[in-house]
Amino acid sequence: MKPKTYDDLLGGPQGGRDCAGRGILDHVMSRWGVLVLLALRDGTHRFSELRRRIGGVSEKMLAQTLRALEEDGFVLRHDFGEVPPRVEYALTPMGRQLATHVARLATWISDNTAQVLAARETRRSKAKG
Amino acid sequence: MKPKTYDDLLGGPQGGRDCAGRGILDHVMSRWGVLVLLALRDGTHRFSELRRRIGGVSEKMLAQTLRALEEDGFVLRHDFGEVPPRVEYALTPMGRQLATHVARLATWISDNTAQVLAARETRRSKAKG
DNA sequence: CGGAATCCAAGATGATACTG
DNA sequence: CAGTATCATCTTGGATTCCG
């Protein structure tokens, strides 16, 4: 019997080895994964559009993030194969489902940001007092 | 008008400066944040219990993660101030709400892991064909 | 037992330059 | 435009050690 590891907490050995779910979660919740998912919720966008929309992401990281999400089947990449180059990205149906969950979490956090900041203040003054 | 940055995508400047929501999300979705949140869903646990339950986390990272979540007001730390030391951790009401959302996301991923792995395979064979 | 402090290896990220 | 390749850097994470 395996001990209770984080594999179990995340749904167990369904993926086969270690913890596939954990790897997916890492892609999704990577520094830029969330933002890409949210940015694609309202439709198709080109590479440079995404860069502008997300802001602060380097070409390298955006490309890397998009590739990871594409590999996982969350993002669809359409290369028009023209010059000048034109590539468009969109969510797959599965990606839309995922993005919905992510958006809920992001929304909750957004709605509770003030409360979190207040909690931090409380702690800070308690530490002083 | 501000350009669309990831600040906007995550709920805008509600936190005051940059993007407080983003920072919170980083805490929550950090490598171990998710697991701690999930591990605490079923009640109070001691430090070493958490280490065993989560599995694979070092003392340093667990302590660091717990402190961050505590600062944000998601986790409550109760130090009994005895020898040998005894400290217990639990979710705050806000933490329970958050953990519920996180659990939903984790569950979705867990339920869709097979589909993601299938998507990866499809891509792989398409690349070959 | 529950950490804090330190040192070090590994990985993530960014700026830049280059290509089709 | 849409990337890739490369190098420098900054951050993470882990192992170890020490303490109350």
Side-chain angles (χ1 to χ4, degrees), chain A residues 28-29 37-38 40-41 72-75 90-105, chain B residues 101 104-113 115-116:
Chain A
V28 174
M29 306 312 293
L37 250 16
L38 295 180
L40 284 174
R41 282 193 81 206
D72 287 352
F74 298 133
V75 163
L91 293 179
T92 63
M94 189 165 67
R96 265 192 294 280
Q97 276 187 50
L98 176 60
T100 299
H101 285 277
V102 171
R104 285 212 190 97
L105 183 59
Chain B
H101 285 279
R104 283 210 192 99
L105 184 59
T107 300
W108 185 90
I109 289 182
S110 186
D111 290 345
N112 289 271
T113 294
Q115 199 172 338
V116 169

Side-chain angles (χ1 to χ4, degrees), chain B residues 38-49:
Chain B
L38 295 179
L40 283 174
R41 283 193 80 205
D42 65 350
T44 295
H45 293 284
R46 299 182 58 172
F47 187 86
S48 44
E49 280 177 343

Side-chain angles (χ1 to χ4, degrees), chain B residues 62-77:
Chain B
L62 181 55
Q64 189 174 304
T65 303
L66 285 169
R67 258 183 285 121
L69 292 176
E70 190 200 357
E71 271 239 345
D72 288 352
F74 298 133
V75 163
L76 208 61
R77 183 197 133 119

Side-chain angles (χ1 to χ4, degrees), chain B residues 78-126:
Chain B
H78 182 42
D79 187 339
F80 290 77
E82 306 169 348
V83 283
R86 176 190 180 83
V87 181
E88 293 190 341
Y89 294 91
L91 293 179
T92 62
M94 188 165 69
R96 265 192 295 281
Q97 276 188 49
L98 176 59
T100 299
H101 285 279
V102 171
R104 283 210 192 99
L105 184 59
T107 300
W108 185 90
I109 289 182
S110 186
D111 290 345
N112 289 271
T113 294
Q115 199 172 338
V116 169
L117 296 180
R120 288 189 190 152
E121 282 313 308
T122 304
R123 284 219 107 264
R124 217 169 298 284
S125 39
K126 244 199 316 193

